[in-house]
Amino acid sequence: MSDPIFEIEHLSLAYPGRRGPPMAPILKDVSFTVERGGALTLVGPSGSGKSSLLRCLNRLEEPTAGTVRFEGRDIQALDPRRLRRGAALVMQTPVVFEGTVRDNLRIRPADVDGDLSEARLGQALADVGLEGELLDRDAATLSGGEKQRVTIARALLGDPRALLLDEPTSALDPPNAALVVETVSRLRETRGLSIVAVTHQPELVRRLGGMLLYLVKGEMQAYERVGDLDVRLQAFLAGERAAGVADAS
Amino acid sequence: MSAGVVDLTLWQLALALLLVAAVAIVSIRQVLGLERDLLLGSIRTIVQLYGVGLILAAVFAAARWYWVVLILVVMTGVATHAAVSRLPKPIPGAYRIAAVSLFVSTGVTLAYVIGVVVQVGPWYEPQYIIPIAGMILGSSMTSAALAGDRLQGELRVRAAEVETRLALGFSGREAVQPLVRSALRAAMIPVVNGMMTVGLVQLPGMMTGQILAGSSPLLAIRYQIVVVFMQAAATALASLFFVRLIAGRYLTPAHQLRRYLL
Ligand SMILES: Nc1ncnc2c1ncn2[C@@H]1O[C@H](COP(=O)(O)OP(=O)(O)OP(=O)(O)O)[C@@H](O)[C@H]1O
Ligand SMILES: [Mg+2]
């Protein structure tokens, strides 16, 4: 029995040019489904359209063709604000707003309510491996990895049904990366949170499980279950890991 | 007008030209390379002001409301063009946005000053409405340009912040509000600061003119106070309309940021 949270059919995207015709296509005929409580990992070379695809899912970007359904409804028929509260996007480059970490965690539209007690804020920080004392810190003074985790905590505090993560662990050391993955996976199991994640880290792919979509130049090269990846994908992930090791040294 | 005014002969104007010659000498000796522009600027100063003077003399003599309205329309057109051309990035619809902002801010302020404060009769008395409209338009134009410049700069630098707010479920208007606020502040701060020192550092141009033309300083300052306040109002209105409408061009009805316009 299937209960899809996202159904993407024949999605194509071309960014509009400043004037004249739209520029070259970024995504071409992409189709996939994410089950409620399921996970999908997007992998592919830099510039293949992974971030663009996530931005189509919460309608920050308008696809040139195809449909995106969220919880069974075409997102064109949804209020984008409601869609984005239900499907929280954590961007590739974390943005923190002026103010303290507490201000950053409490920020939300006026008509949205929810538990923002100190205890919950502290728990949200702990879930991403940050100390509660950080609440009073000026957010601008955080390190890159700390900012990244604050943006993940901020997204989770909105109680989304789906989490769209764009390289959520790119600035984290292995223990903190593992902790973030642990938190996300736990929410997936306890609350049925659905995950769509872009990552270059094979560990994250394995831990999240679910489906894997391999994107090259905006086209789907493979779409399969993480358990039985074909040779090509394993080679790609291994290559990514080798590149990651090379970067780190 | 007043008996106390010294008439300026063409011969005396020629003497004033010696001041420009002094500037030219500085430019040549210090190798500033400004002589050409200086010459062009001097010629334009003379030609433009004479042109305007002749037109105004004709309109003053005729004192017909339609001539006055025509002049106001032309002035608004020129101010619109100037405000738009000072936008760092062209955007579609900028002319309409500038025209609407300047028309509304100038119209409202001018109507209040002419009709309620000074109570000029008839309203189209050129001696009052044209210089007052000119000052209001000037403030509107400057502040709109300043606010638009600042807003576009903020949008470019803070696009990711705007999209982060959108991704958190804020409306487009809410997402750009902090940027709108900082653009409005940039446009209004010079005016507010100007109010702090007005008259202390230099006499405002209009007051200087009135005193030179023989008005009593006490009457001149009353007019100047009106002018300062009306310019503040025009600044606030013009920058508010301009920035709001420009910000709107960057957003779609689906609360998306049009990044291709950045
Ligand atoms: N606003 C834009 N206008 C034009 N082209 C864009 C825009 N945003 C992205 N692109 C282009 O679209 C392509 C896909 O970009 P995207 O950010 O989706 O790639 P990605 O797979 O996330 O890459 P990375 O792994 O480096 O983050 C790139 O070639 C990029 O240059
Ligand atoms: Mg990306």
Side-chain angles (χ1 to χ4, degrees):
Chain A
M1 193 192 76
S2 91
D3 174 20
I5 189 153
F6 271 117
E7 295 156 278
I8 284 74
E9 280 166 17
H10 308 295
L11 184 79
S12 295
L13 171 72
Y15 282 111
R18 247 192 102 76
R19 48 178 71 92
M23 308 191 338
I26 302 292
L27 294 171
K28 293 164 219 156
D29 196 21
V30 174
S31 304
F32 60 88
T33 302
V34 183
E35 292 297 315
R36 187 177 295 280
L40 175 86
T41 317
L42 295 170
V43 295
S46 176
S48 55
K50 307 181 295 295
S51 299
S52 305
L53 180 50
L54 283 193
R55 291 165 56 85
C56 287
L57 298 191
N58 79 343
R59 215 175 159 205
L60 277 180
E61 221 62 74
E62 207 61 67
T64 30
T67 55
V68 175
R69 273 197 294 280
F70 179 62
E71 297 179 327
R73 293 178 62 191
D74 190 332
I75 61 171
Q76 296 287 332
L78 291 176
D79 181 339
R81 291 168 293 182
R82 302 193 66 84
L83 166 67
R84 292 168 193 159
R85 291 166 198 170
L89 172 65
V90 177
M91 298 206 188
Q92 187 165 6
T93 315
V95 174
V96 293
F97 303 110
E98 226 174 278
T100 61
V101 170
R102 181 184 285 102
D103 298 335
N104 267 275
L105 293 179
R106 294 178 61 98
I107 189 163
R108 57 180 57 190
D111 55 331
V112 179
D113 43 33
D115 178 10
L116 287 174
S117 63
E118 285 295 295
R120 178 131 196 263
L121 299 188
Q123 185 55 48
L125 284 182
D127 282 343
V128 293
L130 294 173
E131 308 280 336
E133 290 94 84
L134 228 50
L135 278 176
D136 288 309
R137 268 276 286 285
D138 178 356
T141 66
L142 296 176
S143 76
E146 287 168 341
K147 280 183 189 160
Q148 195 164 42
R149 285 178 284 163
V150 166
T151 62
I152 295 170
R154 183 173 64 197
L156 288 174
L157 281 169
D159 293 320
R161 276 102 68 206
L163 196 56
L164 313 175
L165 298 165
D166 201 346
E167 304 196 27
T169 55
S170 59
L172 302 184
D173 51 21
N176 275 312
L179 180 63
V180 166
V181 176
E182 224 36 67
T183 296
V184 169
S185 306
R186 193 186 65 239
L187 290 172
R188 215 187 122 194
E189 281 143 27
T190 59
R191 285 216 317 244
L193 183 68
S194 315
I195 314 288
V196 182
V198 174
T199 186
H200 292 278
Q201 290 169 325
E203 289 78 11
L204 182 54
V205 178
R206 297 222 173 78
R207 181 63 185 86
L208 277 179
M211 301 296 287
L212 183 134
L213 198 161
Y214 181 38
L215 212 56
V216 176
K217 291 192 178 145
E219 288 182 81
M220 293 172 70
Q221 293 287 320
Y223 175 47
E224 45 205 88
R225 197 151 288 289
V226 169
D228 33 53
L229 294 184
D230 76 6
V231 188
R232 211 160 30 114
L233 274 176
Q234 290 187 4
F236 174 78
L237 287 173
E240 292 269 314
R241 182 180 4 217
V245 170
D247 281 350
S249 61
Chain B
M1 294 176 220
S2 172
V5 189
V6 179
D7 197 21
L8 272 185
T9 64
L10 287 180
W11 175 237
Q12 285 168 303
L13 272 187
L15 286 179
L17 212 51
L18 280 184
L19 296 170
V20 180
V23 182
I25 290 170
V26 172
S27 170
I28 290 169
R29 297 201 50 149
Q30 303 290 323
V31 205
L32 304 181
L34 293 175
E35 304 90 70
R36 266 182 59 102
D37 284 353
L38 194 61
L39 180 68
L40 191 66
S42 304
I43 293 173
R44 286 191 65 152
T45 302
I46 294 169
V47 172
Q48 284 169 199
L49 288 182
Y50 253 99
V52 169
L54 290 173
I55 292 172
L56 287 184
V59 172
F60 278 34
R64 292 279 190 277
W65 68 268
Y66 42 88
W67 286 121
V68 171
V69 168
L70 180 67
I71 290 219
L72 295 183
V73 167
V74 171
M75 284 161 66
T76 310
V78 174
T80 298
H81 178 75
V84 170
S85 61
R86 278 157 70 182
L87 274 182
K89 277 264 178 176
I91 57 164
Y95 267 97
R96 210 174 47 215
I97 288 173
V100 167
S101 312
L102 295 184
F103 180 78
V104 172
S105 65
T106 303
V108 169
T109 315
L110 187 62
Y112 186 72
V113 170
I114 293 288
V116 179
V117 181
V118 185
Q119 299 188 9
V120 181
W123 62 268
Y124 54 84
E125 185 61 68
Q127 183 193 343
Y128 289 91
I129 195 168
I130 289 176
I132 290 177
M135 285 184 285
I136 295 175
L137 259 181
S139 296
S140 298
M141 174 189 80
T142 309
S143 59
L146 207 58
D149 176 81
R150 178 60 175 265
L151 181 72
Q152 289 194 322
E154 293 271 327
L155 277 167
R156 237 185 332 278
V157 175
R158 296 167 72 178
E161 181 193 323
V162 172
E163 290 197 319
T164 301
R165 239 178 253 115
L166 292 174
L168 286 167
F170 285 91
S171 70
R173 199 183 152 118
E174 292 165 329
V176 297
Q177 185 55 34
L179 290 67
V180 165
R181 193 182 307 130
S182 97
L184 287 177
R185 283 180 59 88
M188 303 206 33
I189 281 174
V191 176
V192 176
N193 285 346
M195 290 165 87
M196 302 295 174
T197 57
V198 64
L200 300 180
V201 180
Q202 67 178 106
L203 292 183
M206 152 147 175
M207 195 170 141
T208 310
Q210 275 188 304
I211 293 174
L212 281 177
S215 288
S216 98
L218 288 179
L219 179 60
I221 58 141
R222 287 191 188 176
Y223 268 98
Q224 190 59 47
I225 290 170
V226 173
V227 166
V228 169
F229 292 169
M230 81 186 186
Q231 287 183 327
T235 295
L237 286 176
S239 49
L240 183 66
F241 279 98
F242 195 60
V243 162
R244 276 244 170 275
L245 292 173
I246 294 271
R249 292 293 308 162
Y250 283 89
L251 297 165
T252 70
H255 308 283
Q256 295 153 323
L257 181 66
R258 293 188 215 265
R259 290 203 296 177
Y260 59 92
L261 287 181
L262 294 177

